[in-house]
Amino acid sequence: MRERPTTAITNVVAWEALDSRGRPTVACRVQLSGGAVGRAVVPSGASTGAHEAVERRDGGARYDGWGVRDAVAAVVNELGPAVSGLDATNRARVDARLEDVDGTPDLARTGANAVLAVSLAAALAGAEALGRPLWQALADSDGSAATSPTPLLPMPMVNIFSGGAHAAGAIDIQDVLAVPLGARSFAHALELVARVRAATARLLEQRHGCSALVADEGGLSAPLPSNEAAVALVTEGIEVAGLRPGVDVSVAVDLAASQFGTAEGRYDLRSEDRVLDRDAWLEELRRWCERYPIASLEDVLHEDDWDGWTAASAILPAACQLLGDDLFATDRHRVGEGIQRRAANAVLVKPNQAGTLTRAERVVRVAHRAGLATVVSARSGDTEDTWLADLAVGWRAGQIKVGSTMRSERTAKWNRLLELQHDFGAQAALAGPEVLGRTRPVRASQR
Ligand code: PGA
Ligand code: ZN
């Protein structure tokens, strides 16, 4: 008698849950014929890019319009039945069916939040049925795993200070982060950035007389006199923590410039009462790179200013990672365009910008093939789920960004990576400075 397959999808249920901002989000559970279960709760951004897959919201008065009952109904009535009977371990097939059922390129009809919930829950159920953690199921189906079998833990990029849409506009730029490039292990990396966060909080109190507020991603926030002051503050935080800026810990900045800039090149720094054109803004950033130990700059310009991005690549230091978030929106066509135009040297990968795990995975492959770095990223509205950590390891992304070292939706991901470090034991390698994007090859002396 033929063995009964155990990986066929038999049941898909969904419900409305809450994200870390207290807004509704889609939760989904997928069950397989052999009894394995996968469950996922999808994240949601605040500084959402114009080119992302479209999140479906109910509108109306309930939860100020943020409800997702229609997206949940789409899972129950359309997406779930459509994937019923499919083999959950065949992620590409499941995701292709989900895309077909939706029928729109940006998944707006059923909702990218509905589609991603099923995509993730099915992938988790498939891995469970095979008795593998998700990272391993992903690595097994990626050709590169065969040639580099040692698992690679990602270099974390950790939020220390927030402004913009993550902190009620305290300053214009969105996030100043710490990258512990001198860390010896993943656990050591977290220890270093926790020291920087604590020192920066003390500095804020002493210098600016304010006990810092906790922003959406667990970073500190306070109204500072200028945007540059936030970069200076975190740099000083590294020093006060007894660490060497640029050696033990470097700085990364997510400008999120689409939030205060235009495609025509007008950058309105409200907190400083200054408006700069594109050239003056890039010159400002170039000066920051001279003054501070900046290893990575994200979304330096508006998401539709392709020419500006090409110019930025030429103007900003070749050793600096130039990272596209809203620019690429985890879309492989936009990443392809960026590669052609030499518009950036690294890609932020947010699964909910893509809408399915398969789409996000393709973006990672396209980027790596072209020599671009990748940073797997959470959203400012996130959940207690930990799958993002597994994606970073399974795809050998090299870098991960999930917010600060506090708030449980953030620590859930760090704690999963600590668990993996424990499980890998002596095999665990932490990605080093070489995983960061560079525009041109840099001589060792310039690094
Ligand atoms: P978001 O922020 O989730 O609010 O978009 C994260 C980021 O910009 O990187
Ligand atoms: Zn960003």
Side-chain angles (χ1 to χ4, degrees):
M1 210 171 74
R2 271 181 63 196
E3 216 180 327
R4 269 188 68 182
T6 56
T7 55
I9 295 174
T10 52
N11 193 25
V12 179
V13 294
W15 61 97
E16 191 179 61
L18 293 181
D19 72 16
S20 58
R21 259 193 287 262
R23 287 181 188 158
T25 189
V26 182
C28 175
R29 193 173 61 224
V30 168
Q31 189 162 7
L32 309 186
S33 46
V37 166
R39 178 185 163 285
V41 191
V42 301
S44 172
S47 65
T48 311
H51 304 286
E52 299 190 12
V54 176
E55 218 173 49
R56 187 170 175 192
R57 298 286 181 181
D58 297 337
R62 204 174 146 267
Y63 279 113
D64 287 332
W66 294 102
V68 292
R69 282 181 175 167
D70 290 345
V72 165
V75 174
V76 175
N77 299 326
E78 288 195 67
L79 299 168
V83 296
S84 182
L86 295 186
D87 179 352
T89 63
N90 189 340
R91 290 186 305 280
R93 175 104 196 280
V94 171
D95 289 348
R97 178 71 63 87
L98 293 171
E99 287 182 34
D100 280 354
V101 171
D102 179 90
T104 62
D106 55 9
L107 309 177
R109 195 183 69 76
T110 54
N113 42 353
V115 172
L116 182 67
V118 182
S119 172
L120 283 169
L124 285 159
E128 175 74 25
L130 297 173
R132 288 186 173 79
L134 182 63
W135 76 265
Q136 201 170 23
L138 295 169
D140 285 352
S141 55
D142 176 359
S144 67
T147 49
S148 33
T150 312
L152 186 69
L153 290 164
M155 172 57 62
M157 188 183 270
V158 185
N159 185 303
I160 304 293
F161 189 93
S162 281
H166 292 173
I171 49 172
D172 306 286
I173 63 173
Q174 186 173 281
D175 301 295
V176 184
L177 310 97
V179 192
L181 292 175
R184 295 184 300 273
S185 67
F186 185 80
H188 187 223
L190 283 189
E191 191 185 323
L192 294 183
V193 289
R195 273 167 66 181
V196 173
R197 191 189 187 286
T200 308
R202 281 197 303 276
L203 269 177
L204 253 183
E205 262 188 61
Q206 291 158 5
R207 194 71 52 77
H208 301 280
C210 45
S211 61
L213 300 168
V214 174
D216 282 5
E217 296 195 356
L220 309 163
S221 189
L224 292 181
S226 70
N227 291 290
E228 183 176 346
V231 183
L233 177 78
V234 173
T235 304
E236 210 181 335
I238 297 169
E239 283 165 355
V240 171
L243 300 166
R244 293 166 298 175
V247 179
D248 299 315
V249 181
S250 295
V251 172
V253 189
D254 181 2
L255 290 311
S258 296
Q259 298 285 314
F260 56 90
T262 66
E264 292 70 40
R266 189 190 139 91
Y267 292 88
D268 187 355
L269 306 176
R270 290 214 184 123
S271 70
E272 301 178 19
D273 211 8
R274 276 201 304 160
V275 180
L276 302 183
D277 67 14
R278 182 222 277 162
D279 290 349
W281 172 237
L282 285 178
E283 177 55 22
E284 176 109 355
L285 297 181
R286 197 191 60 74
R287 263 188 282 116
W288 289 8
C289 290
E290 280 175 5
R291 287 182 197 153
Y292 308 101
I294 296 177
S296 176
L297 289 173
E298 177 178 337
D299 278 357
V300 289
L301 294 176
H302 187 274
E303 62 207 331
D304 288 319
D305 185 5
W306 284 109
D307 292 339
W309 274 87
T310 306
S313 282
I315 290 165
L316 297 168
C320 183
Q321 173 165 271
L322 197 51
L323 176 58
D325 170 8
D326 293 347
L327 175 72
F328 295 133
T330 317
D331 176 80
R332 88 188 137 100
H333 303 292
R334 289 187 70 85
V335 173
E337 175 144 17
I339 291 165
Q340 262 190 351
R341 290 172 174 265
R342 298 176 183 276
N345 56 37
V347 181
L348 201 79
V349 180
K350 290 169 165 170
N352 81 324
Q353 285 181 329
T356 67
L357 208 47
T358 303
R359 281 186 178 182
E361 186 168 355
R362 285 202 186 116
V363 164
V364 173
R365 295 232 176 111
V366 168
H368 285 179
R369 240 183 277 132
L372 270 64
T374 52
V375 183
V376 165
S377 172
R379 299 304 305 243
S380 53
D382 216 276
T383 79
E384 63 276 25
D385 279 7
T386 61
W387 43 262
L388 193 82
D390 282 64
L391 303 193
V393 176
W395 291 341
R396 297 181 78 81
Q399 298 172 72
I400 188 168
K401 182 175 99 156
V402 308
S404 202
T405 48
M406 52 177 72
R407 289 184 61 136
S408 303
E409 78 280 6
R410 314 289 149 190
T411 53
K413 281 79 165 168
W414 301 137
N415 290 344
R416 170 65 178 149
L417 288 164
L418 289 169
E419 180 185 4
L420 291 179
Q421 174 182 295
H422 172 269
D423 291 351
F424 296 156
Q427 269 222 312
L430 173 68
E434 70 285 350
V435 293
L436 268 70
R438 289 193 163 83
T439 301
R440 297 177 292 280
V442 182
R443 287 198 306 276
S445 59
Q446 289 176 280
R447 287 195 170 172

